[in-house]
Amino acid sequence: MTTRAPIRVVLAEDHTIVREGLRALLDVRDDITVVAEVADGRAAVEAVNQHRPDVVVMDLGMPELNGVDATRQIRKDFPATQVLILSMHAGEEYVRPAIRAGASGYLLKGSGLSDLVSAIQAVARGDAFFSPAIAKIVLFESRRGERPARDPTPGDALTNREREILQLVAEGKSSPEIAKQLQLSVKTVEGHRGRIMAKLDVHHVAGLVRHAIRIGLVSADT
């Protein structure tokens, strides 16, 4: 009889105690192997590039690169890797962007270990898995696809690079710090900031932070 290889998983969660707890729960299983654990979205993308896992268990509110944009990048560059969102947030403003970014599942953090294992197994084989409360939003969203398009939100006008820079600005990083982190010139970063402000019609950092919170790039307690 052929033995199926364990599902290879990357854990992306910025809270150390949660991440280590998840690993401890999964490490006792023979059918799942945690190949890496990371604390921010950018590191999650790098871990996928290095390990090519079957599944990334992804938190949404992470520093450096949020879970939605990390999911979008992973699904674009590494389509064989599935993403399972594990979040405390059940609101439509969190669920919809995650699903549109390519997440195959969305599990609430109040779920039990059996649900987490079932979700990992489901997305690994190419199926979808959603907590019951999330499934209702996903069903409604799929039905909306048959209706006229929704009015765009200000965040829709931003490019992926602009979303990335907006998040870093909202996290309190200066233009030189952002330039160094993204390997861009300060002039290029300032140009992006100017275009972001124009698109969002704001003229100060506080306004940028409010918009970043509104479109889910950072949480209100950042």
Side-chain angles (χ1 to χ4, degrees):
M1 186 175 71
T2 303
T3 303
R4 180 173 297 179
I7 299 169
R8 303 175 73 252
V9 172
V10 166
L11 297 176
E13 163 66 58
D14 64 325
H15 290 94
T16 303
I17 192 169
V18 175
R19 189 176 66 251
E20 292 181 348
L22 290 171
R23 178 156 201 163
L25 290 171
L26 295 176
D27 273 348
V28 300
R29 301 189 60 89
D30 296 328
D31 57 342
I32 296 174
T33 297
V34 177
V35 296
E37 53 180 275
V38 297
D40 65 74
R42 196 175 308 285
V45 177
E46 294 171 355
V48 172
N49 183 41
Q50 179 179 354
H51 298 283
R52 304 301 168 98
D54 301 300
V55 177
V56 178
V57 177
M58 180 85 73
D59 187 24
L60 287 180
M62 292 188 296
E64 304 294 337
L65 187 68
N66 65 85
V68 169
D69 288 336
T71 296
R72 182 180 294 108
Q73 189 169 335
I74 288 168
R75 295 296 296 141
K76 175 179 177 291
D77 296 340
F78 311 99
T81 296
Q82 306 299 321
V83 178
L84 169 66
I85 301 298
L86 183 62
S87 175
M88 63 182 291
H89 300 293
E92 295 180 14
E93 67 274 23
Y94 294 96
V95 177
R96 288 176 178 167
I99 301 307
R100 289 171 183 162
S104 299
Y106 196 116
L107 191 66
L108 294 176
K109 286 186 175 178
S111 305
L113 174 61
S114 61
D115 286 334
L116 175 61
V117 171
S118 295
I120 291 173
Q121 292 171 335
V123 301
R125 64 175 178 261
D127 296 331
F129 191 101
F130 302 103
S131 292
I134 305 303
K136 294 178 182 178
I137 298 173
V138 174
L139 177 61
F140 181 72
E141 180 72 4
S142 67
R143 289 174 175 171
R144 284 184 62 150
E146 303 171 0
R147 305 176 186 180
R150 64 185 177 90
D151 293 334
T153 64
D156 294 336
L158 301 180
T159 65
N160 289 340
R161 176 64 85 186
E162 287 166 350
R163 286 171 58 89
E164 193 173 20
I165 289 174
L166 175 57
Q167 176 177 349
L168 294 174
V169 170
E171 290 175 356
K173 290 184 171 60
S174 66
S175 290
E177 290 172 329
I178 295 171
K180 181 178 180 180
Q181 179 170 322
L182 300 183
Q183 297 183 326
L184 302 171
S185 69
V186 174
K187 182 178 180 180
T188 297
V189 171
E190 289 291 347
H192 280 300
R193 285 182 62 149
R195 285 188 291 275
I196 293 167
M197 286 183 168
K199 288 181 178 180
L200 299 181
D201 192 24
V202 297
H203 309 287
H204 43 73
V205 172
L208 291 178
V209 173
R210 283 196 296 270
H211 275 281
I213 294 171
R214 176 184 173 188
I215 64 179
L217 296 181
V218 297
S219 62
D221 58 357
T222 296

